[in-house]
Every structure is written in C-alpha cells, then in structure tokens.
Amino acid sequence: MGINLIACDRDHSFVIPQDIREWLPPEHLCWKVLDAVDEMDLSAFKAGYRADGQGHAAYPPGVLLALIVYCCSKGVRSSRRIEAACLDDVGCRVITANHRVDHATVARFLRRHGPALNALFVQVLALCDRRGLVDLTAVAVDGSPMEANAARFSNRSLERLETIISQSEAGIAGLMEETAAYAQAVESGEVGEAREPPRESSATARLSRLSDRLARACSAREYLYARARPSAGEIRIKVEAAERMVVRAEKRLAAVTAAHQAKLDGYARRTREDQASGWRAANGRPPVPLDASVVVGRRRARLARAGAWLEGARSPRPVPSPTARASLSDPDSRLMLDKHGGYLQGYNLQLASARNQLLLAIELQDGPSDMTALVPVVEQAERNRTAAGITDEVQAWLADCGYASTANFEALAGLPLFVALAREGPHSGAPRLDRDAVPAGQRAMAERLDTPAGRSLYRRRASLVEPGFAQLFQRFGRHLNCRSTGRVDTEIKLLGTVHNLNKCFRHSPKSSPLTE
C-alpha cells in the first residue's frame, strides 16, 4: 500500500470565478482598503487631471491610492515591487480590476500628488476618531533616526564642495567650447572627411553628469550656509547651556580660589604666631602665590573658555565651520548617531503617539538633537487634532529628558507638559532631583513631576511611543526611499497614514463597515 498524498495535478483545468468579488474572502485586507478609500475625499487628487476628456486615459486616483496603501500595509514600498505585486498578488489584481500598473505610473502619482497625500493623514485620523480609537488621556513625543537614501561617505566639507563646483563649471565650459569650436570648423569647411565628429550621445551624457554634479554640489553648499544660521530657539538653547557652564565654572573657580586663599591666610597666621612666640622656620614650606597655583590657573582657563563659548552662542557666525559636512546625494539629510551604535546618514523621525500607538503627528527633524523638535511636533499634533474635528483636549504631553529646556517650557506654558529633567531608570518614572541643582526656568517642571500624579503619568511615556517606532520599523523598515525634505516628508506622512489606517482595520468589528 503506497503513501497517501494529496494529488497536485498542474495539468488539471480550473475554473476561475468570473465575479472578481469571489476571488478573495470579504474579510481580506484589500476590501478594507477599498472601503476606506471610498470614504475619503479625493477632490485634491482629481483637481490635477484635465476635465475636457483629452489626452491619454489615466487610472482613477482612488485605484492608485488604494493600490499604494494596500502594498504599503504589506511592507511593499518600492514602485517596481508594486508593479511586480500587480502580477502575482491577488489583492492587487482585485484593486486594479486585473490591470498591471507600471512602476513609472506609481512613481509619478506619488511625486505629483505630494500635498494631497500629506492631507490624507488628517482624514485617516478623523476616521479613527469616528471609530472611537482616539484616546487623548496622554500623548508621548519621542524621536529616532531613520536612514536616508544617501551614503554617509558622500558628505563633503565646504572646501571640497567649492572644489567640486569649480571643476564642474570648468568641465562644462570646456565641453561647450569644444562643441562650439567643432561647429565653427564645420561651418568654415576646415573639418576633413577623415576626421570623425564627436559623438553626440557621449557629449550629452557628459554634460548631463557635470550639470547634475554641479547642481548637487551647489545645493549642498547652500544647505551648509543655511544650517550655519541657527534659529532663535536654537540660539536661546545654546545660550542657556553656555550660561550654565559659565555659572558652574565660576563656582568651581571661587571654591578653588577660596581654598587656596585659606591656605595662604593660614600660613600667614601661623607665621605671625611663631614669630610672636620666638619660633623660627617651624611653619614649613610656604604655599605658592595665588596667581602661580596650577589648579587656580586651570579653573581660570576653563572659565575663559566657557565665557568665549557664551559669547559665540550669543553672536553666532553664519559661516560653516571647517568640520561641517553636507551630503552630495541628499543635502537635507544629516550624519547622526545610530541607536545601535556608530553613525548613519538620515533624518530624525519624530512621533506624537497616543494610546494603542495611534499617531497624532509624524514629522521630520533634520537635526540630530530632539531639543528643538518638541514645540514643532506638539503644535503640529494640535493642528492635526483640530483639522480632524477631534474636540477632546490632550490631558498630558509626555517627553523624555532630551526635550528639556527652558525655551520649550515657556513656549508650551499653556499645555499640561511633563518632561523629565534627567535620564530615568528602567521601569520607573521621572527621577527625583535636587531642587537647588535645577535651573530656575525648569523648577516648575520639576515640581510638577515630583507628585504622585506626575510620576504616574510620566511612567506611561515609554509604553505609548516606543512600540510605535517598533511597529513602524518592523512594517516599513528603517530606510527612506526619497530624497530632499519635501519628498521625504510626503513619504513618512504616507507611512503614518497607513499605520493609523491599519490600527483602524485591526480594531474594527468584522461585521461592521469601516465608518458609521
């Protein structure tokens, strides 16, 4: 008796249902995506198409949008992989009505409708609110680096960029002179029949490469100068840090000076006592003068350096430093520390996450520091909440010590803000601090955190926002496909929209539609 196996006859003829609605079960993801897109306002997308019926027929924007959202939900973000999915993914075939969408069509759609794609984030947030998924008891803000579509080794200094610009300009000028000289020689009849003319395709390709390199180098140079001009908030933060260093250096210098002066006074007093009692040379070697003390000299030098740093922070020079670098591939990206060690070329991704990791805002910060990102992220989250028609107010804003600054606290004084002033331990709330060691502008925050309610609220910070990064990176990866701030912002807004939409799918009852 042989092995009992299931027959797999590939020569057998199968009858595929003619009704496309029978290809997949009703609870499949593609039907949920189509229902969600039907509920969205796509007027911003349709406004970009001709209304006179002329030109080549285009795919409906709802079809392309549903296709992109469906593929992103499955972790497929590349336009070429989306084209391949239209061939071998039944869900894509259902969405496109069995059409195979070209990758160029998908890429042009994403590039053309950037503002409309950004606005979808608010529409999906409103859908989540109608499903009762928005809980604003506490909202946590945090940041994490995300890899840009640029190599870290493509960074160049200002001096190197100037050299590249000069070489590219000289190469373009030489190519144009060579082409003009050949054209003039042809007109005058000086070119013989044996001499072959320069290849047009080769000259065009060389000109294209030189022009592209020149444009990217100029863009990187402009970005270096723009980055050298700090904003008012950054200037204030740096001034506050420099003032704290100056105060600390003054205190240490005063302590060291007082200790050494006490030694001098003690020696002088003992010398007078010995002389009065008739003793000679019984007091030991005298201390060095105050100006000759090595310790006092070091403290004075540190105070001078802190003072110079304070003056530089108050009057910043809009000139790139010799150590400043900009990427030729994507000048808007920055070299920043990786969470797992080392450095990466990327952007600082900022999230404002509520309960169940529902995102109120997803933004970009080009700087590696989180300190200057708190106010823009909170304000954008409030604008998104208002635009989505959410009437509930956020009861607590939570952030770690990387966002702590007096400027942030003053800018968000009217909000229930809870920001740690020091690094907290694992599974604990905000650490207790010495009131005297806290700067004057941050003592109110320290008092707010040093209460049972404040510590209980802050303890929720990590569980609100950290899983949000894990879910985003697990689904989409830690890399970006686009370049430049505008296109990258559209890309992450799309990822945030898909993230929230999948939250809505997951928490929606199977027997009810997406919206009521």
Side-chain angles (χ1 to χ4, degrees), residues 374-390:
L374 182 61
V375 175
V377 172
V378 171
E379 292 179 347
Q380 185 61 45
E382 288 289 345
R383 287 194 292 267
N384 292 342
R385 180 185 63 83
T386 304
I390 302 174

Side-chain angles (χ1 to χ4, degrees), residues 11 75 120 188 285 332 413 444 510:
D11 295 330
L120 287 180
S188 60
R285 180 180 298 178
D332 292 345
K510 294 183 179 180

